[in-house]
């Protein structure tokens, strides 16, 4: 029986389930398609990374003697969609059946479910076994629970995998060492330089393609330094484990001008595209702890991200889609401010994060959550608009991971399914965790009036505007008590200043031209 096996751009894994039982005569199909490259206006580096990694992966498979059919974006007959390219490949190879591994996104799965009838062929969709927790396993965990707290899911995953366990107990006696992971970076501290990779001929060709065809997309290509092969991704992993993991925990929440990576792993693009596996990463980190080369707070914090949070958001995504994306608990509706694309704002924290995002297709966790995310939450940006931005601008972003993080964690749009309270913070938090405020026209210590950091009135304005949704939340008791202790006059001033600031957001000096998700053909 001849089988056509389609592998998607984020399935670049040698032992993918879609390849199980590979037989002589089978063909593996990879396609670069305009539909995927344009459904959101991806950062130029994200497209270049994925296309180059796909091309290298195809060569790797060929090198192992497999029959690979690869369709490049500018092939003259490229139809531009998965369905169209699968149809053309069926005509070329005349298979008896199609095998695929389930995709990461709801949108693509819906498409796939129609293929068997559309093509009149059996289509087998296999489980993606690269995750610790299958969709079925997560559904069993979630069943009958009133709330889905990550911490409890994570403990179950620790028990099931035995990672950082001493028998039935967590290593060191506690499940979570996050309290030790909030140090600000000392002023003179310099993190080690990161291992970046010079673009090879394949990457350069893809970069030229992207530069020519996606001219209006957000993002610089010049800084491209991503690994595009499994071997280089493994080298990046080793570099992280040896050079950065020991201080990963301490400075996890720190932000510093000119230091976009600090001690973060910057491995998420490789993990999410399949060049690295979640198991090898977690076991590699655990090995560093057991060998005494990295402390428990760092290793537990890292493993919690991969084994806990990443698996948990994927579980929530598949459990709750498609309705999840449509909720809007705080009824937020403001258009996304133009400075998310241009970086043109006097708020230095946002300008820095957008500039680094443009340069690297990357920002670290706390920049995403507490700067661009916090602002979108406080300003009441429409959830779909900010979600599209997060999905577009980061090299690691696919909807299964982006949506719960943005919709639930950042925007509280799911009403608290994911997060027990909104991650709203005033300028004081950003000032404590970064050096951004020193270079800002605003003053984080001024609560209102001329020169006050906009995050300050916006924070209280957010609490006032959303009182009916948030006041009953036990974790919000303290800020509401502080708010209620303010004089009426002070509250009126906050409302007036925040209102004026928000009104001005929607009036750009020059008419913005949104980045296009379309190809320049
Ligand atoms: C993100 C992306 C892009 C930009 N381009 C392609 C592509 O041309 N071909 C492909 O197979 N996959 C691409 N991807 C990744 C897909 O969007 C991803 O596989 C689906 O969203 C499912 O997670
Ligand atoms: Fe951001 Fe406010 Fe600090 Fe400026 S003062 S960098 S706007 S937190």
């Amino acid at each position: 029986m001849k089988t056509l096996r389609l592998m998607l751009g984020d399935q670049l894994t040698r032992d993918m389930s879609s390849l199980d039982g590979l037989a002589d005569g089978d063909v593996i199909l990879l396609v670069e398609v305009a539909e995927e490259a344009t459904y959101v206006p991806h950062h130029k580096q994200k497209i270049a990374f994925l296309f180059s990694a796909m091309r290298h992966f195809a060569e790797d498979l060929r090198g192992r003697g497999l029959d690979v059919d690869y369709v490049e974006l500018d092939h003259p007959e490229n139809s531009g969609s998965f369905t169209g390219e699968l149809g053309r490949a069926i005509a070329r190879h005349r298979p008896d059946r199609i095998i695929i591994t389930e995709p990461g996104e709801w949108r693509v799965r819906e498409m796939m479910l129609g293929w068997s009838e559309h093509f009149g062929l059996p289509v087998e969709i296999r489980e993606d076994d690269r995750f610790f927790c299958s969709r079925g396993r997560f559904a069993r965990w979630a069943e009958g629970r009133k709330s889905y707290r990550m911490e409890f899911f994570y403990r179950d995953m620790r028990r099931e995998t035995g990672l950082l366990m001493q028998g039935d107990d967590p290593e060191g006696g506690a499940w979570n060492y996050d309290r030790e992971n909030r140090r600000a970076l000392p002023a003179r501290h310099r993190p080690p330089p990161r291992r970046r990779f010079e673009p090879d001929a394949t990457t350069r060709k893809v970069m030229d393609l992207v530069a020519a065809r996606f001219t209006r997309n957000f993002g610089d290509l010049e800084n491209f330094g991503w690994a595009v092969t499994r071997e280089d991704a493994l080298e990046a992993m080793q570099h992280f484990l040896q050079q950065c993991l020991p201080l990963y925990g301490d400075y996890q929440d720190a932000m510093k001008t000119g230091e976009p990576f600090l001690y973060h792993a910057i491995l998420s693009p490789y993990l999410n595209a399949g060049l690295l596996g979640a198991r090898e990463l977690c076991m590699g980190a655990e090995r560093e702890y057991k060998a005494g080369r990295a402390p428990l707070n760092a290793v537990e914090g890292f493993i919690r991200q991969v084994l806990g949070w990443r698996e948990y958001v994927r579980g929530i995504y598949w459990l709750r889609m498609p309705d999840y994306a449509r909720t809007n608990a705080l009824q937020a509706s403001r258009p996304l401010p133009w400075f998310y694309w241009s970086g043109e704002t006097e708020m230095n924290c946002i300008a820095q994060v957008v500039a680094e995002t443009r340069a690297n297709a990357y920002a670290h966790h706390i920049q995403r959550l507490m700067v661009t995310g916090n602002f979108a939450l406080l300003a009441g940006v429409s959830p779909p608009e900010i979600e599209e931005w997060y999905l577009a601008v980061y090299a690691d972003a696919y909807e299964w991971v982006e949506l719960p993080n943005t919709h639930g964690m950042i925007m509280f749009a799911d009403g608290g399914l994911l997060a027990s309270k909104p991650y709203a913070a005033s300028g004081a938090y950003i000032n404590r965790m970064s050096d951004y405020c020193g270079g800002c026209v605003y003053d984080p210590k001024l609560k209102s009036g001329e020169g006050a950091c906009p995050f300050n009135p916006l924070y209280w304005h957010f609490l006032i505007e959303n009182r009916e949704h948030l006041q009953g939340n036990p974790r919000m008791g303290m800020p509401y008590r502080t708010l209620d202790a303010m004089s009426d006059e002070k509250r009126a001033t906050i409302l007036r200043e925040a209102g004026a600031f928000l009104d001005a957001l929607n009036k750009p000096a020059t008419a913005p031209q949104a980045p296009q998700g379309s190809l320049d053909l």
Side-chain angles (χ1 to χ4, degrees), residues 300-314:
E300 186 282 317
F302 181 74
I303 288 182
R304 178 152 30 86
Q305 297 308 316
V306 181
L307 174 69
W309 189 250
R310 181 173 183 267
E311 299 279 330
Y312 168 78
V313 297
R314 176 176 181 263

Side-chain angles (χ1 to χ4, degrees), residues 497-516:
E497 290 185 4
F501 179 85
L502 292 171
D503 285 348
L505 278 182
N506 294 346
K507 295 192 193 99
T510 51
Q513 190 201 16
Q516 300 297 306

Side-chain angles (χ1 to χ4, degrees), residues 147 163 393 404 453 455 457 489:
S147 71
L163 280 161
V393 302
C453 166
F455 283 84
E489 194 190 333

Side-chain angles (χ1 to χ4, degrees), residues 346-350 371 426-428 430-431 434 436-445 452-456:
E346 290 189 314
M347 290 179 283
N348 189 40
C349 51
I350 294 192
V371 177
S426 67
I430 296 174
N431 191 28
S434 78
Y436 296 148
C437 302
C440 187
V441 299
Y442 297 114
D443 184 343
K445 297 201 177 68
C453 166
F455 283 84
N456 293 338

